[in-house]
Amino acid sequence: MLPILYDFAIVGGGIVGASTAYKLRLRFPDDQIILLEKEAELARHQTGRNSGVIHSGIYYKPGSYKAKLCFNGREQLVTFAQQNDVPHDVCGKLILATTEEEVTRLNAIYSRGLENGLNGLKLLTQKEFQEIEPFARGLAAVFVPQTGIIDFKDAVQKMKLRLLERPQNKVHTNFHVSGISKSANTTELKSKTGSVEAKRVIFCGGLQADFLAELDGIKLDIRTIPFRGDYYDLTETGKTKVRNLIYPVPDPAFPFLGVHFTRMTDGSVECGPNAVFGFKREGYQRHSFSLADTTNALAFGGTWKLFAQHWRMGLHEQQRAWSKPLFLKALQKLVPDLSAADIVRSRSGVRAMTIKSTGEMVDDFLFEQTERHLHVLNAPSPAATAGLAIADVIVEKIKGVEE
Ligand SMILES: Cc1cc2nc3c(=O)[nH]c(=O)nc-3n(C[C@H](O)[C@H](O)[C@H](O)COP(=O)(O)OP(=O)(O)OC[C@H]3O[C@@H](n4cnc5c(N)ncnc54)[C@H](O)[C@@H]3O)c2cc1C
């Protein structure tokens, strides 16, 4: 029997890869599509370890991919969740300012939200926001009605089911792409367990995005650097103090949103994540270490420039990663009644952060296209929310190759 020549192979079964496979199946229903994932199941890394928040798109630079694709992806994701029984709840969130300086920045976020097309945003006083979150304290808040929570792992499972509705399509787990060989019109993707041949390949490797691009012979001026985020869970008494989602006003010098409270779809309430340099790309313990990953990060000049620019913040984050009182202090800024007995250490996730050789962080989603391949080089938050819209961009780019 001749080996199958797939029309499309997608490497990486996180939400970006799964959304891409699903959207390709809708656009090219008769084509043969294969989704390849190195783990035993899909969504084991960023997608399955994130905060589970459907982001509204309030923060992002108007006109950027992030702003446009978050807005559009959110709407698509909620519709997909409704149609496919994915646990979710569009419950809204509070962004809370606790100092005068933060109030100024909160007002700017509110204006940006309007620019980004969000309706129904509300600027609230303490008395008003305490009707939503009685234990929250601050000078002012913005209520964002579009924000929600979702089970992203379940969303990916449902995308897989929709892909496999066409019998010619396949999902191969335990398939770690470790070699790429190109011939005139096709590409062979090799793993220890076999190989797959396809006409076009889309790489959605998340924390391994730069490795895959380099394996494909692309010269990069960027590197994927892991940033671990640790979470605490609220105990039963802690849960009486938080109803839904409470966020701080983010620090503009820092690419993360700051530790926040998130009700999850299973009813638990998580606090976090912080953001510390990770010594292992897929390492989820505080002591996780990989010599190869650490050497790779530290051999890149951009990493040192990033450290030099943010060393003070980096040091503080490292201390907070090991100190429950420091973590609690950040949470008490938003909910002062919270006590040490209300929080227990829980899980971690690792974010893929893309750094340029100048030390600058790549903020927006980033794609690199060659003749028959497309690499998603940067898909940070809100890429889980935006996944279906990112997939539309990929299908458009790949479609150009087709026609
Ligand atoms: C702590 C944390 C909190 C976050 N919170 C949110 C949030 O609340 N809302 C939101 O919208 N976004 C959030 N994000 C961001 C979001 O989770 C990511 O942007 C998104 O999941 C990226 O999806 P992905 O498919 O690109 O990557 P991933 O989910 O990491 O998937 C990449 C996949 O590629 C596979 N792979 C890699 N190399 C190979 C190979 N050689 N062969 C085969 N397979 C390979 C991996 O095993 C993995 O399954 C958060 C991220 C983190 C880490």
Side-chain angles (χ1 to χ4, degrees):
M1 206 172 71
L2 279 175
I4 298 168
L5 173 60
Y6 287 93
D7 295 287
F8 296 102
I10 299 103
V11 179
I15 197 156
V16 176
S19 300
T20 302
Y22 166 60
K23 285 293 179 112
L24 284 169
R25 169 241 184 270
L26 294 181
R27 176 68 179 79
F28 303 105
D30 297 323
D31 279 1
Q32 291 188 293
I33 302 167
I34 187 162
L35 175 61
L36 304 169
E37 166 56 48
K38 68 180 165 59
E39 305 294 346
E41 57 182 32
L42 305 185
R44 275 252 178 116
H45 294 293
Q46 294 180 92
T47 303
R49 293 177 162 272
N50 68 18
S51 298
V53 175
I54 305 172
H55 285 301
S56 64
I58 192 168
Y59 304 108
Y60 313 117
K61 195 170 156 203
S64 63
Y65 263 139
K66 272 190 180 176
K68 287 189 282 194
L69 302 185
C70 184
F71 190 99
N72 176 275
R74 167 173 51 76
E75 293 188 332
Q76 289 199 52
L77 183 65
V78 172
T79 306
F80 181 87
Q82 286 162 351
Q83 291 172 347
N84 293 276
D85 284 331
V86 180
H88 72 289
D89 181 9
V90 182
C91 53
K93 82 166 177 185
L94 281 183
I95 308 173
L96 202 64
T98 56
T99 63
E100 285 299 344
E101 198 255 322
E102 284 182 0
V103 173
T104 311
R105 283 194 271 132
L106 183 73
N107 288 330
I109 289 172
Y110 174 78
S111 304
R112 182 166 268 196
L114 296 179
E115 253 186 283
N116 282 337
L118 296 178
N119 296 321
L121 297 176
K122 286 188 199 132
L123 265 173
L124 303 174
T125 61
Q126 175 162 290
K127 190 163 171 276
E128 289 166 334
F129 69 68
Q130 282 188 334
E131 282 170 26
I132 301 170
E133 291 288 351
F135 287 84
R137 298 280 183 282
L139 300 179
V142 168
F143 180 70
V144 189
Q146 290 83 358
T147 304
I149 52 172
I150 188 164
D151 181 341
F152 281 118
K153 264 189 170 174
D154 193 63
V156 166
Q157 282 309 315
K158 301 287 166 57
M159 287 173 195
K160 172 182 153 181
L161 292 180
R162 301 293 304 274
L163 172 72
L164 295 178
E165 278 168 1
R166 303 292 297 172
Q168 76 273 21
N169 297 335
K170 293 269 174 312
V171 175
H172 270 199
T173 50
N174 295 313
F175 192 102
H176 188 149
V177 174
S178 52
I180 301 171
S181 100
K182 289 172 265 191
S183 56
N185 297 313
T186 66
T187 298
E188 190 186 358
L189 300 163
K190 296 173 192 167
S191 82
K192 277 190 187 148
T193 51
S195 72
V196 160
E197 205 165 6
K199 292 183 194 163
R200 274 146 299 161
V201 187
I202 299 116
F203 296 89
C204 309
L207 286 152
Q208 313 292 343
D210 58 345
F211 284 163
L212 284 165
E214 279 166 2
L215 198 63
D216 195 16
I218 297 175
K219 291 249 169 307
L220 294 176
D221 185 35
I222 51 166
R223 189 142 306 174
T224 308
I225 305 291
F227 272 81
R228 203 189 67 246
D230 308 313
Y231 292 86
Y232 281 78
D233 273 339
L234 288 190
T235 59
E236 286 307 315
T237 39
K239 279 203 273 183
T240 60
K241 299 173 188 172
V242 175
R243 286 182 180 163
N244 285 314
L245 281 72
I246 313 175
Y247 277 63
V249 174
D251 181 340
F254 204 50
F256 307 114
L257 296 179
V259 294
H260 48 264
F261 296 90
T262 312
R263 174 165 65 84
M264 307 299 281
T265 52
D266 65 4
S268 61
V269 179
E270 288 192 340
C271 325
N274 58 349
V276 289
F277 173 74
F279 292 92
K280 190 172 180 190
R281 291 196 185 204
E282 293 168 357
Y284 300 106
Q285 308 298 325
R286 278 180 298 170
H287 53 262
S288 292
F289 179 78
S290 150
L291 184 60
D293 287 349
T294 305
T295 310
N296 183 276
L298 298 182
F300 185 62
T303 308
W304 292 100
K305 290 176 188 151
L306 179 85
F307 287 168
Q309 287 158 26
H310 296 286
W311 66 269
R312 203 184 296 273
M313 176 71 89
L315 208 62
H316 176 71
E317 285 290 306
Q318 278 293 351
Q319 285 171 329
R320 195 164 64 172
W322 295 92
S323 159
K324 182 173 172 178
L326 282 181
F327 210 102
L328 179 66
K329 203 171 152 199
L331 297 171
Q332 283 172 330
K333 235 185 114 186
L334 306 172
V335 179
D337 281 358
L338 209 68
S339 73
D342 290 332
I343 61 170
V344 282
R345 192 176 276 285
S346 61
R347 64 181 185 95
S348 297
V350 179
R351 307 170 184 87
M353 186 195 266
T354 308
I355 313 273
K356 296 183 195 169
S357 56
T358 54
E360 204 185 322
M361 294 168 235
V362 179
D363 183 50
D364 214 354
F365 303 145
L366 181 67
F367 308 92
E368 172 94 23
Q369 193 167 6
T370 62
E371 205 188 332
R372 283 177 287 111
H373 296 175
L374 188 144
H375 288 263
V376 179
L377 290 179
N378 193 42
S381 184
T385 303
L388 289 165
I390 293 175
D392 287 336
V393 170
I394 293 171
V395 172
E396 271 311 301
K397 285 179 184 281
I398 280 283
K399 198 179 87 185
V401 176
E402 160 98 343
E403 287 165 354

